[in-house]
Amino acid sequence: MRHILSVLIENEAGALSRVTGLFSARGYNIDSLTVQTTEDPTLSRMTIVTHGSDDVIEQITKQLNKLIEVVKVIDLNEADHIERELMLIKVRATGKDRDEMKRMADIFRGRIIDVTEKTYTVELTGPGDKLDAFIKAIDATSILETVRTGASGIARGERVLKI
Amino acid sequence: MELISGAEILTRCLQEEGVEFVFGYPGGAVLEIYDAIFRQEQFKHVLVRHEQAAVHAADAYSRSSDKIGVALVTSGPGATNALTGIATAYMDSIPMVVISGQVGTSAIGLDAFQEVDMVGCSRPIVKHNFLVKDVRDLAATFKKAFHIAKTGRPGPVVIDVPKDVTINKCAFEYPESLTIRSYNPPTKGHPGQIKKAAQLLAEAKRPYIYVGGGAVQGGAGAQVTELVKLLGVPCTNTLMGLGALDGTDPNFLGMLGMHGTYEANLAMQYCDVLIAVGARFDDRVISVPSQFLSNPKRIVHIDVDPSSIAKRVKVDVPIVGDVKHVLTDLIAALKEGNLRPNPDSLANWWKQINEWRKPNSLLYTPSDELIKPQSVVQKLWEITNGEAIVTSDVGQHQMWAAQYYKFRRPKQWINSGGLGTMGFGLPAAMGAQLANPDAVVACITGEGSIQMNIQELSTCKQYNTPVKVLSLNNRYLGMVRQWQEFFYGTRYSHSYMDALPDFVKIAEAYGHIGFKIENPADVEPVLREAFSPALKDRLVFMDFRTDPSENVFPMVQNGKGLNQMDLPPHMHGLQQVPFENNRDYGNLC
């Protein structure tokens, strides 16, 4: 099953490689990983999307906690949460496709953030499956380039991940 | 405040930590450190002949004492040579600090001479590692490193120190205390869980205690012994746990696992309540989890590392905590509630276990012509009164040492259990001897393993470590040969050691005493001489020419259950299920 793990980790050189090294050494999957410093510059927040059986996810959580620099780990899937991902997608926009592409971007609440005579660059935010749906909805041959950040997640309600 | 160099700070840190010995080998990147070592007298440096040996010696120094071993190596090849030793300590959770030199910070990443990314190379095999880029961070890093190495589940910590950091100066102040907000190892176990464990023990019909290296490292030998005595239950130790309960204790069933005794393995399979103490249900211990669990049992698992729990086997009562604390609390809970297993069930269980004990699965056929390797270990045990610190290498001799030397106390048995590192034994003996100068230290090895670090005979001479080396020389890489005999149709592919050197001459060339023993009748006299007061201060190398066809039994083959052992010839055909006349087992069998 797919899980989103949120990790608070010391903002130190090499900390990221300990996490990725752990995943590859123990044969765990990383579907996506995002990381950035938090409002406290000594801490980074990582969102790792992974999949595996409950036993595997339990081991991943324990192994992450075992890393000296990891401060806290939560599995967002244990409760309600919000997940967002950003995609920048450059598409061919010529002839009759140009209007169609604009309409599709509107339907998906995307924003066109760069325009040339032949292309649009669309910014799209949402859960990963919404971004997937957009890619599916437009003509595959018109896609020139896609860039996705991977998911970021946060718990709903008053639950917070903090020291 | 006086400004001193990074190298001096480094030596001062080691002094502050009470370090007695640093095992190392100099080189370009650590010249400043060696100069600072030259100018101080508080700790001694032991110059090994290969960096791997420095790390093994530091490791065994930790394993055989309550102190922390320290190794010092130069950058590049010095660092990579240390890796096997670091991995060895990591797999067995041994506290240790390894200092590696590094090229100057401005040269890092430029493929400089003798540059290697030590932090990257060692990352998967350390508890933690540091690259110190600023001399002002050096002292705090050492404080953290020693703290991390010895607390929680112990492990090796590497500190990589670039050369300019050893030259640059700053004021020295060693931090008195430290807190690492992201690192808070557990101590006390959860009281509710401990109560549950006590209750389970009271309900048990066939209780069993399974003790691993965590109890040895966690200093919980006394608590294990008290628990076993209090309840009168059978107990087994893993390869790493040997000595946690006295090997001569009547409640001790011997080692369990791939080469465990018949009774220890069958009790593991058929118990109904299992208390696992600082053990990790390793593949060499329980083999396949599904087979192990095919006879249902309720399991209490006590470990300081939560990730060891439910890794291979799901347990009913997990208790995260320091084993010593948890066992103390468990004993108190049992006493307080006057909780004991039912005496009749327990008596029945013992009756069954004693049936399993009867055929003696460690029996072997003595010979007048060929030296039986097992007999050498047994004689060693007799002659040293079971008091020697014994190190070993890896292979058949290691298993025989584990099976036939009845270790009396924790930290007496030093071997590479997790990684299985050949070449460990001799440098380990050296480290153990330096940590325990008055102890008798024996290294049980084979002609294969000893040659992987035989150069350390030179270090032993330089530092007067009078260890006794017992090489069980069967001219084969014995364990490889055994597997080839069992599983590869006796095709002995590259397991025969041709062109062996004259080990007596080698020992003599290094300034030691060597004996070659070919006749079974000579085993005892030679051992007596080697361990006599006359040779107390000498390293003695004993080259025992042993029976090359001897195999280690019992054996649980890969993929088989603990109740499907290959047994020694005198036990062929024996059923590995509980006996009919003692059915207290319900539908278990």
Side-chain angles (χ1 to χ4, degrees), chain B residues 120-440:
Chain B
C121 287
S122 63
R123 195 179 51 234
I125 51 169
V126 291
K127 184 168 175 190
H128 198 56
N129 58 18
F130 298 94
L131 169 63
V132 185
K133 284 184 158 173
D134 189 324
V135 67
R136 287 167 298 184
D137 297 334
L138 205 50
T141 304
F142 270 81
K143 182 80 183 177
K144 276 188 201 165
F146 277 87
H147 175 69
I148 290 170
K150 66 188 172 194
T151 50
R153 180 178 181 171
V157 177
V158 166
I159 309 176
D160 201 28
V161 189
K163 186 158 186 184
D164 54 330
V165 173
T166 65
I167 296 169
N168 294 343
K169 292 188 172 184
C170 81
F172 173 69
E173 195 183 354
Y174 202 60
E176 274 182 16
S177 63
L178 87 170
T179 47
I180 305 175
R181 64 178 169 183
S182 58
Y183 177 68
N184 300 295
T187 48
K188 288 271 192 187
H190 191 282
Q193 294 293 88
I194 291 170
K195 216 174 251 175
K196 268 193 215 164
Q199 200 57 48
L200 260 190
L201 271 170
E203 291 164 13
K205 289 181 177 157
R206 300 184 304 283
Y208 197 33
I209 301 180
Y210 147 58
V211 181
V216 172
Q217 283 304 315
Q223 287 72 19
V224 167
T225 309
E226 191 183 349
L227 181 68
V228 169
K229 300 266 184 234
L230 179 71
L231 300 175
V233 296
C235 176
T236 182
N237 291 343
T238 68
L239 178 67
M240 296 311 298
L242 290 174
L245 180 68
D246 187 335
T248 60
D249 190 289
N251 291 46
F252 184 59
L253 305 194
M255 179 175 78
L256 85 166
M258 181 173 268
H259 295 296
T261 64
Y262 185 64
E263 54 271 30
N265 281 347
L266 291 186
M268 188 73 172
Q269 186 67 25
Y270 296 113
C271 63
D272 73 339
V273 170
L274 180 69
I275 312 287
V277 182
R280 58 188 178 92
F281 296 91
D282 171 85
D283 55 297
R284 284 293 192 269
V285 169
I286 61 155
S287 197
V288 190
S290 56
Q291 293 271 14
F292 169 62
L293 296 171
S294 64
N295 296 101
K297 44 185 79 71
R298 286 178 293 175
I299 302 174
V300 177
H301 192 174
I302 306 169
D303 206 291
V304 74
D305 176 6
S307 74
S308 275
I309 296 175
K311 186 168 70 178
R312 295 194 81 228
V313 167
K314 283 219 181 239
V315 300
D316 302 84
V317 185
I319 306 179
V320 177
D322 178 280
V323 286
K324 193 172 175 175
H325 276 110
V326 174
L327 286 183
T328 305
D329 292 347
L330 177 61
I331 290 165
L334 287 163
K335 282 183 179 166
E336 198 179 304
N338 200 21
L339 298 166
R340 302 286 185 277
N342 175 289
D344 292 340
S345 306
L346 190 59
N348 247 345
W349 179 223
W350 271 114
K351 197 171 146 203
Q352 172 66 82
I353 287 168
N354 288 330
E355 287 292 326
W356 286 333
R357 267 178 166 170
K358 251 186 220 159
N360 184 8
S361 60
L362 296 182
L363 211 61
Y364 57 91
T365 318
S367 159
D368 292 336
E369 282 152 26
L370 291 168
I371 297 176
K372 292 290 176 176
Q374 301 95 324
S375 72
V376 177
V377 180
Q378 281 178 323
K379 278 282 165 247
L380 173 70
W381 186 79
E382 279 174 37
I383 287 167
T384 56
N385 296 319
E387 291 292 341
I389 293 176
V390 177
T391 73
S392 89
D393 273 294
V394 171
Q396 284 185 321
H397 69 266
Q398 177 190 25
M399 291 301 116
W400 286 317
Q403 289 175 329
Y404 294 92
Y405 201 97
K406 311 287 180 201
F407 295 95
R408 291 184 189 275
R409 56 178 196 278
K411 301 206 162 191
Q412 196 190 346
W413 164 236
I414 313 249
N415 84 126
S416 167
L419 195 68
T421 309
M422 290 172 73
F424 177 79
L426 180 59
M430 204 166 75
Q433 184 78 77
L434 288 169
N436 303 273
D438 299 326
V440 173

Side-chain angles (χ1 to χ4, degrees), chain B residues 537-550:
Chain B
D537 299 324
R538 299 296 302 274
L539 185 150
V540 182
F541 191 111
M542 288 158 271
D543 180 19
F544 292 96
R545 298 302 171 108
T546 60
D547 181 352
S549 64
E550 199 60 37

Side-chain angles (χ1 to χ4, degrees), chain A residues 10-12 14 17-18 20-21 25-26 40 42-43 55 58-59 62-63 65-71 163, chain B residues 90 119 123-124 126-130 133 144 148 153 180-183 305-312 314:
Chain A
E10 297 288 352
N11 182 16
E12 280 170 14
S17 65
R18 288 184 210 281
T20 54
R26 294 194 182 263
D40 172 353
T42 64
L43 282 175
D55 293 351
E58 182 185 334
Q59 264 300 311
K62 285 174 169 176
Q63 293 291 347
N65 269 312
K66 205 163 128 181
L67 295 176
I68 305 291
E69 286 153 340
V70 168
V71 184
I163 298 187
Chain B
Y90 180 68
V119 166
R123 195 179 51 234
V126 291
K127 184 168 175 190
H128 198 56
N129 58 18
F130 298 94
K133 284 184 158 173
K144 276 188 201 165
I148 290 170
R153 180 178 181 171
I180 305 175
R181 64 178 169 183
S182 58
Y183 177 68
D305 176 6
S307 74
S308 275
I309 296 175
K311 186 168 70 178
R312 295 194 81 228
K314 283 219 181 239

